[in-house]
Amino acid sequence: MCGRFAVDRDLDELAAIYGATPVDQVHWEPSWNLKPTQSIPVILESAAGEAEVVRRAAIARWSLTPIWSKTLATRFSTFNARIESVTEKASFKSSVKSRRAIVPAAGYYEWTTKAGIKQPHYIHLPEGEPLALAGLYSWWADPAAAKDTDTRWHLTVTMLTCDAVQTIADVHDREPVPLPADLWDDWLNPQVEGDQEFLGEAVQASLPIAARLIHHQVAPLKGDGSHLIEPTRT
């Protein structure tokens, strides 16, 4: 599970990293305390009316809503999805085929519990290296909105998780899937049809990055700002 994470770059900076075009008239400010159902930056590729597929840096709601849902909020939590079984889940399996995304992150948080007290840990790569986390997206149309309104369509996303590597297993047994740069093109390409084998290959490719993850304790997450990732004394 990954229920909180940090993004320390604005949309233009993220677009430059991933070779994407920022969506027009979208403002994004870095945040170090992102939660499910909040707006987060994502990288995706789609045609969206153009003759060619375009790579975009966009803003999405962190909790995937399948297109057939009657409401934006779903009955079950959909901000994470287990990559080992995601093709078996009705909410996610259609997105695996051609609606895959990257969720940019500086790092993420997990909690340990000792003597009944929950202690947050910040998990990240050394030297502030960015993480490209594997995700799936879906467009949800609000049935109550007029078809010609800009607010009818909602971009929603989930973050894929796998078994944690040894370096962070003492904090949590699951982790987001960090994609290497040489996999970004195939992962985002909607013309590359995804299946469980493809997902398994992504997990294997992520292992060298996951093995480099490090973590440290931080103070309870209150408010927002870069101070949230500063180490606390142990």
Side-chain angles (χ1 to χ4, degrees):
M1 169 178 282
C2 174
R4 300 280 184 95
F5 74 105
V7 180
D8 61 357
R9 291 172 168 85
D10 63 30
L11 206 60
D12 288 336
E13 291 175 298
L14 294 173
I17 291 172
Y18 294 98
T21 300
V23 173
D24 292 339
Q25 299 178 338
V26 171
H27 178 68
W28 163 257
E29 292 186 358
S31 173
W32 289 261
N33 194 10
L34 290 164
K35 309 170 188 176
T37 74
Q38 288 187 327
S39 296
I40 65 171
V42 297
I43 309 298
L44 56 85
E45 289 186 359
S46 65
E50 290 91 351
E52 297 182 356
V53 169
V54 176
R55 183 173 296 185
R56 295 177 174 82
I59 301 299
R61 182 178 187 268
W62 184 22
S63 282
L64 187 145
T65 304
I67 194 169
W68 42 261
S69 177
K70 295 181 179 179
T71 58
L72 179 60
T74 57
R75 181 180 177 185
F76 303 102
S77 63
T78 56
F79 59 90
N80 285 169
R82 296 174 68 94
I83 199 167
E84 303 92 337
S85 58
V86 69
T87 56
E88 303 169 9
K89 307 298 182 181
S91 296
F92 306 119
K93 62 181 181 181
S94 63
S95 292
V96 171
K97 293 183 178 180
S98 61
R99 293 191 294 276
R100 298 176 299 272
I102 287 174
V103 180
Y108 66 99
Y109 303 94
E110 292 293 358
W111 282 256
T112 57
T113 302
K114 186 175 182 179
I117 299 175
K118 297 184 70 174
Q119 175 66 57
H121 296 250
Y122 182 61
I123 302 171
H124 59 102
L125 288 174
E127 307 301 329
E129 297 173 55
L131 286 165
L133 304 179
L136 305 174
Y137 74 91
S138 177
W139 286 98
W140 180 78
D142 185 349
K147 291 185 177 181
D148 57 351
T149 59
D150 293 337
T151 57
R152 181 175 184 238
W153 288 95
H154 297 259
L155 178 60
T156 67
V157 66
T158 190
M159 192 182 294
L160 295 173
T161 68
C162 64
D163 288 335
V165 294
Q166 185 176 359
T167 52
I168 62 168
D170 57 327
V171 178
H172 201 278
D173 62 352
R174 303 289 296 178
E175 68 182 13
V177 180
L179 300 174
D182 60 4
L183 190 59
W184 293 355
D185 288 348
D186 282 349
W187 182 263
L188 295 174
N189 189 350
Q191 297 174 352
V192 174
E193 184 170 334
D195 55 18
Q196 196 62 56
E197 181 179 359
F198 180 71
L199 299 182
E201 292 171 353
V203 172
Q204 289 301 309
S206 76
L207 293 179
I209 299 176
R212 297 177 56 234
L213 290 170
I214 56 179
H215 66 86
H216 58 261
Q217 292 186 7
V218 295
L221 302 183
K222 297 180 180 179
D224 203 347
S226 59
H227 65 281
L228 294 179
I229 66 173
E230 294 178 0
T232 56
R233 293 182 179 180
T234 57

